[in-house]
Amino acid sequence: MNVVSTALLTLIYLSFISLGLPDSVLGSAWPAMTVSLNAPLWGAGLIQMLISFCTIISSLNSARLIRKFGTGGLTAISVATTALALLGFSLAKNYAFLLLMAVPLGLGAGAVDAGLNNYVALHCEAKHMSWLHCFWGVGTIIGPMILSAVLRVGESWRMGYRAVGLMQCAVSALLFATLGMWKRSDIQQEEREAKTLGVLDVLRLPGAKAGMMTFFGYCAVESTLGLWGATYISQVRGVSEATAASFGAMFYIGITVGRAASGFMAMKLLPKQMVRLGQALLALGCVLMMIPAGSTLSGIGLVVCGLGCAPIYPNIIQDTPVNYGAENSQAAIGVQMAFAYVGSTFLPSIFGALAGVGGYEWMPYFAMGICAMMAVLFNIQKKIVETKVKTD
């Protein structure tokens, strides 16, 4: 990898840290925000759904936007958009203004996610994709730490959002200053040759339907475990709320640490092998959570689930150009991002509604069911793709 490619990869890592920064701040700041803005306690869910909806829109249009602005230009514009949205959050005087600022925050995040994932899938080894998403995890850890530090010194949540927004501004300024690095002939040619396929066109690609539903299933499982895992350990296994919260945090730490380790493992294993390894660990974690042998085992199971989640997302993305062709990969990744956000937005809510009737003890069974569906669909997709390659 030459100097320019290394510098670009460094910028992409930095961009993914900035992408993760706001993702975890809303939940951490919401208790203080509800009091300050007289907002409903359930209001954070509506904000998050609006962010996800706008992220889906920009993800689906990522191929068209990259053709117009280029990957570097779109990344710089999108980070600037999220920075302004975060600064807008810090200035909000009422709940309605938060809903308004959720729109640019979601639109900016989706474009960055889809564009940079495609660049790394096309130009970098699988290890870099795992480390890229590890850096997103680093961003999700740093965001609440900044907010916590601000609140400890007596400042309001507004200052926390302002600090994160200014950090995004700095990243955006750096991206604009280095736009020339993206003007390599090979990158510009790829951007010109990338097909701007619609959703139905992508779904007609061999193996795409099964592949998209695999991605949907993975994000549904991750989000369900992340949202309800601590509640399950607390209410079903009877541990203290503080201990349950610690296991919940360790689930996300497991994903981040697991992705760091996955980068090294990807030097030896193919992406499809990494995905299957992750699915096996995820299933093992669900089984451990089902065993009524004490709270500690359930907590360990949740952490094992986090480690299992780690390699799945990045390695599915890494294999996208192989599965659907390099010229289709940007459009395909955009659709994958859309399926991902649909899964992560709605399935945890569906489980929450079901748990209100049937109880939280069904959570690991719910997760295991989706995990099994995901494994079957993934195998169907790989079989279709590999058959097509042999035929061609």
Side-chain angles (χ1 to χ4, degrees), residues 112-291:
V112 172
D113 205 0
L116 295 185
N117 271 305
N118 186 57
Y119 174 85
V120 174
L122 288 172
H123 292 271
C124 303
E125 299 172 71
K127 62 183 180 182
H128 293 297
M129 185 66 82
S130 289
W131 291 335
L132 178 69
H133 289 274
C134 174
F135 276 104
W136 173 84
V138 170
T140 64
I141 294 169
I142 292 174
M145 289 174 64
I146 292 172
L147 181 69
S148 177
V150 166
L151 294 176
R152 277 201 191 98
V153 297
E155 296 288 347
S156 77
W157 60 269
R158 297 180 187 278
M159 187 58 68
Y161 263 103
R162 198 163 299 150
V164 173
L166 290 173
M167 290 176 69
Q168 295 279 61
C169 287
V171 173
S172 177
L174 180 60
L175 290 168
F176 276 112
T178 54
L179 280 178
M181 295 170 59
W182 292 91
K183 295 181 179 177
R184 285 173 17 194
S185 59
D186 59 329
I187 297 176
Q188 292 181 323
Q189 183 176 351
E190 280 173 2
E191 291 170 350
R192 287 192 299 270
E193 292 177 352
K195 294 182 180 179
T196 53
L197 304 177
V199 177
L200 294 179
D201 296 319
V202 170
L203 292 177
R204 291 189 189 102
L205 296 171
K209 294 183 184 70
M212 299 304 162
M213 287 305 297
T214 299
F215 213 58
F216 167 89
Y218 164 72
C219 292
V221 167
E222 181 195 301
S223 299
T224 300
L225 290 170
L227 183 61
W228 298 110
T231 301
Y232 171 83
I233 293 170
S234 174
Q235 296 206 1
V236 178
R237 298 305 180 200
V239 306
S240 69
E241 292 180 356
T243 302
S246 297
F247 279 122
M250 287 172 66
F251 169 76
Y252 285 106
I253 293 171
I255 293 177
T256 303
V257 172
R259 284 177 179 165
S262 294
F264 294 101
M265 295 174 66
M267 298 178 191
K268 299 292 184 182
L269 299 176
L270 295 172
K272 66 179 181 180
Q273 294 172 317
M274 294 293 294
V275 172
R276 285 172 177 148
L277 175 62
Q279 289 172 339
L281 281 173
L282 187 52
L284 174 61
C286 289
V287 169
L288 291 175
M289 293 180 73
M290 293 174 188
I291 298 173

Side-chain angles (χ1 to χ4, degrees), residues 27 102 104 111 138 142 160 211 245 333 351 380 383:
V138 170
I142 292 174
I333 285 177
F351 173 75
I380 290 172
K383 196 168 187 178

Side-chain angles (χ1 to χ4, degrees), residues 19 21-22 24 44 54 92 94 138 143 165 169 203 212 244 255 264 270 283 287 300 305 321 349 352 377 382:
L19 185 64
L21 280 172
S24 52
C54 293
N94 53 57
V138 170
C169 287
L203 292 177
M212 299 304 162
I255 293 177
F264 294 101
L270 295 172
V287 169
I300 291 171
C305 284
S349 299
L377 289 169
K382 296 312 292 183

